[in-house]
Amino acid sequence: MKAIVFTQTGGPEVLALGDVPKPDVRPGMALIKIQAIGVNFADTRFRQGTYVVKPKLPDTPGMEAAGVVEAVGDGVTDVRPGARVAAFTVKSYAEYCQAPASMVIPLPDVVSFVDGAAFPIQVLTAYHMLHTADSTGPGRTVLVHSAAGGVGLAAVQLARAAGARVLGTVSSDAKAPLVREHGAEAVINYATEKFADEVLRLTEGRGVDLILDAVGKPTFEEGLRCLAPFGHLILYGRAGGPTDPLNVATLSPKSQKVSGFMVPTVTRNFPDRTRESAERCFALMREGRLRLHIGKTFPLAQAADAHRYLESRQSTGKLILIP
Ligand SMILES: NC(=O)c1ccc[n+]([C@@H]2O[C@H](COP(=O)([O-])OP(=O)(O)OC[C@H]3O[C@@H](n4cnc5c(N)ncnc54)[C@H](OP(=O)(O)O)[C@@H]3O)[C@@H](O)[C@H]2O)c1
């Protein structure tokens, strides 16, 4: 089958279309014929060899896909061949992938393969930060960094759907209208403004209750400055570089909380909760309260261009590859 293969870590140019064996269907697994592949920022780090999971060269990137189940392995009873599904998987920049049955999410008929591929990682990361790691609801104010990105736009909408007030940051004015259209009350360009000052102004000096921060070094300390008493900062990525070590004692004066988050903590340990949260998000999609913004779609062979675009900070929403 066709797949994107890289034989050395490095820039987008290391990604090339090649031929690899189609995976065998193993016990407990589902073999999926892929229709659409989700591109994640973490894929760019995996390609560089700087992600928590290291490539075993030659390797294929990709953590999620949507398609049709072609076969299931021994012991699989809750996923059937022919089903339309999305899945958390590995090596999904390809025509086929294999996923543990517990990581397969059935797709409602109204959800396209493209939306299905856009869904598992970014939407469920946003959902579980807001509702598992935190308890977002009416009366709370949430600051979403990189709010025009994949996780960002999902988080803005899900926080709004939960009744929270939402503020967002972006690095260019061009992205701000999109974030507002998806439910943010105010959008701050953190490349040109001191976002903490602006957040304090917008909240009359109180600060926000929750910050979703995957930028890291450039935003973390300023975030603590505009975090309300008992506020919670979730650090779930480091696109702008790792943060300096935190002296926990600095959180005491305002009784603040900082936590980490990785979506596999939910998907690997709580498969029932994963499916239940997917159902809730599908319901919001049916009601039109969660719209997956597909920023751009590329043929699989152009995976390197998709990575270049994601790393350029120009992209919005989700990038998709079509095999
Ligand atoms: N912990 C988890 O389970 C989990 C799951 C999914 C994603 N994540 C993390 O969440 C973040 C967003 O992921 P995504 O896939 O949805 O990507 P994305 O937000 O669509 O794209 C990345 C965005 O990061 C922002 N950014 C800030 N500093 C950057 C830098 N130095 N270089 C490049 N981009 C920078 C850019 O937006 P602006 O220029 O507007 O700031 C860029 O558009 C990533 O850091 C990712 O690793 C974590």
Side-chain angles (χ1 to χ4, degrees):
M1 67 171 184
K2 295 287 180 207
I4 295 293
V5 179
F6 61 116
T7 55
Q8 60 182 77
T9 56
E13 68 283 354
V14 300
L15 301 178
L17 193 68
D19 286 298
V20 301
K22 183 175 161 185
D24 290 329
V25 60
R26 297 201 307 270
M29 309 285 273
L31 178 68
I32 299 166
K33 181 167 180 12
I34 297 175
Q35 303 291 327
I37 300 154
V39 178
N40 288 284
F41 193 74
D43 299 342
T44 67
R45 298 308 192 231
F46 181 69
R47 184 205 75 220
Q48 291 170 3
T50 55
Y51 188 57
V52 280
V53 179
K54 304 295 174 206
K56 294 189 183 102
L57 298 171
D59 210 332
T60 294
M63 301 175 173
E64 65 189 345
V68 177
V69 175
E70 188 167 279
V72 295
D74 289 347
V76 176
T77 54
D78 57 348
V79 177
R80 50 178 181 75
R84 298 172 74 255
V85 297
F88 295 92
T89 180
V90 291
K91 302 179 191 290
S92 65
Y93 286 21
E95 292 178 306
Y96 291 85
C97 69
Q98 217 177 160
S102 62
M103 299 276 187
V104 172
I105 300 170
L107 284 181
D109 290 344
V110 293
V111 177
S112 67
F113 287 122
V114 166
D115 277 3
F119 182 86
I121 293 180
Q122 294 179 343
V123 174
L124 295 185
T125 293
Y127 181 92
H128 287 286
M129 288 195 291
L130 294 167
H131 295 296
T132 304
D134 199 83
S135 47
T136 304
R140 287 171 72 79
T141 304
V142 181
L143 174 66
V144 180
H145 284 308
S146 304
V151 179
L153 279 181
V156 166
Q157 295 176 83
L158 292 173
R160 273 302 294 143
R165 179 183 180 200
V166 185
L167 311 178
T169 64
V170 290
S171 69
S172 74
D173 291 342
K175 295 182 188 175
L178 184 72
V179 179
R180 263 192 225 99
E181 279 160 28
H182 283 78
E185 177 188 304
V187 184
I188 305 162
N189 181 337
Y190 61 177
T192 57
E193 286 179 84
K194 278 204 151 195
F195 76 85
D197 289 346
E198 190 56 13
V199 165
L200 288 168
R201 189 186 68 74
L202 289 163
T203 56
E204 288 158 356
R206 181 177 170 274
V208 290
D209 301 292
L210 176 65
I211 299 180
L212 304 184
D213 185 350
V215 181
K217 173 90 177 161
T219 46
F220 180 70
E221 283 183 18
E222 279 290 279
L224 293 178
R225 190 161 74 77
C226 64
L227 194 59
F230 290 103
H232 181 193
L233 188 157
I234 303 180
L235 188 66
Y236 70 105
R238 48 179 193 180
T243 57
D244 291 333
L246 171 70
N247 176 359
V248 177
T250 60
L251 301 175
S252 298
K254 287 207 273 175
S255 307
Q256 295 162 323
K257 180 165 86 171
V258 171
S259 65
F261 180 88
M262 278 201 71
V263 73
T265 317
V266 181
T267 54
R268 291 207 187 121
N269 297 309
F270 306 99
D272 290 349
R273 214 151 155 177
T274 305
R275 284 200 182 173
E276 184 190 295
S277 56
E279 286 306 322
R280 284 195 192 165
C281 293
F282 290 142
L284 289 171
M285 285 167 72
R286 277 193 212 98
E287 292 164 18
R289 295 162 78 199
L290 173 62
R291 287 174 289 128
L292 304 190
H293 174 76
I294 307 302
K296 211 163 177 180
T297 298
F298 299 79
L300 176 61
Q302 290 172 19
D305 290 335
H307 277 211
R308 274 185 204 102
Y309 188 43
L310 190 57
E311 290 175 294
S312 75
R313 300 183 76 162
Q314 303 301 308
S315 71
T316 54
K318 185 71 179 181
L319 303 186
I320 295 287
L321 301 174
I322 304 292

